[in-house]
Amino acid sequence: MTRNEKIKITERINHYADEVLKKVDRQAVPISIQLDLLKPVMEQIAQEYGKTVSDVFVLYMDINSELQAEEAEKKKEMGEETILFE
């Protein structure tokens, strides 16, 4: 799987999360429940790519970490302060 494909999968999950979690208080609702809400899209992606849901979750977390680190590096180069996790 190419990096571009991984990014597209991550964008797809993020878009789904934006829709499903828009009314969820992310500070109050446990992460486990938030992840359960994302399970349908992860199951669909897993089926499409012949992967397990766990594989899709790991891919999602890995590429998100990479993208956040890249963004932080760009901001650092531009002299901006960055908070990686909110």
Side-chain angles (χ1 to χ4, degrees):
M1 181 177 302
T2 67
R3 186 170 194 277
N4 193 36
E5 287 174 307
K6 292 176 184 178
I7 290 171
K8 286 184 185 226
I9 288 170
T10 300
E11 289 172 346
R12 184 172 162 191
I13 294 170
N14 285 340
H15 177 73
Y16 183 86
D18 288 344
E19 291 298 313
V20 172
L21 300 175
K22 67 181 164 189
K23 294 183 180 179
V24 173
D25 181 352
R26 295 182 189 196
Q27 300 299 319
V29 175
I31 294 292
S32 59
I33 293 173
Q34 293 179 46
L35 289 173
D36 280 343
L37 293 171
L38 299 180
K39 197 170 182 180
V41 73
M42 290 192 185
E43 288 173 332
Q44 185 178 21
I45 292 167
Q47 185 177 12
E48 290 171 12
Y49 285 88
K51 305 277 185 192
T52 66
V53 174
S54 294
D55 289 340
V56 173
F57 176 73
V58 170
L59 179 145
Y60 175 70
M61 296 304 289
D62 285 348
I63 199 70
N64 264 330
S65 294
E66 287 178 27
L67 294 173
Q68 285 182 350
E70 290 171 10
E71 185 66 25
E73 185 61 30
K74 286 179 187 175
K75 288 183 177 185
K76 182 179 174 185
E77 289 173 2
M78 296 174 63
E80 296 178 27
E81 193 173 320
T82 303
I83 299 173
L84 285 180
F85 300 99
E86 294 181 17

